[in-house]
Amino acid sequence: VEKAYKWRTGGGLAPEDLRRKSEAVVNKMYGSWKGVFGRFSEVWWNAVKPVLDEHGVPSLEYAKYRAFVNRYISKCLIKKSQKPESVKADFVDIHGCDPAIIDDITSKIGEVW
């Protein structure tokens, strides 16, 4: 209850102080969010999209390769919680991705990341 009261009333802070503190928190969160997703976007445009264009993958199938890239980077390169082979196998077996394209993508990601 005390937490809710402090949240609703600003914990006794003047509205200007509350706004300044909240803006600082939001800017910090946005900066870290943009930094990480900026790297994902950079990898997509500089490494993955050219591979898909080279293999003639229709744009309607980009989503499954984008999902692969996101999971591969997150689970294999950042968190190291999964083996690359298991992520590749999931997307080949379940989502129907081409293994040759997946191998090309992972090699290009290794160059850019």
Side-chain angles (χ1 to χ4, degrees), residues 85-102:
E85 296 78 23
S86 68
V87 175
K88 290 178 188 178
D90 286 347
F91 276 85
V92 169
D93 296 340
I94 297 170
H95 300 288
C97 293
D98 184 355
I101 296 174
I102 295 273

Side-chain angles (χ1 to χ4, degrees), residues 2 7 34 39 62 64 72 79 81-82 109 113:
E2 181 181 329
W7 177 256
K34 186 177 178 185
R39 287 189 75 189
Y62 280 10
K64 62 185 178 182
Y72 178 78
K79 296 177 185 173
S81 61
Q82 281 186 318
I109 289 174
W113 190 261

Side-chain angles (χ1 to χ4, degrees), residues 29-47 66 69-70 73 78 112-113:
M29 289 171 55
Y30 177 71
S32 65
W33 175 81
K34 186 177 178 185
V36 172
F37 282 104
R39 287 189 75 189
F40 278 78
S41 181
E42 179 183 324
V43 167
W44 173 258
W45 290 108
N46 295 333
R66 180 108 189 199
V69 169
N70 290 345
I73 291 173
I78 294 175
V112 175
W113 190 261

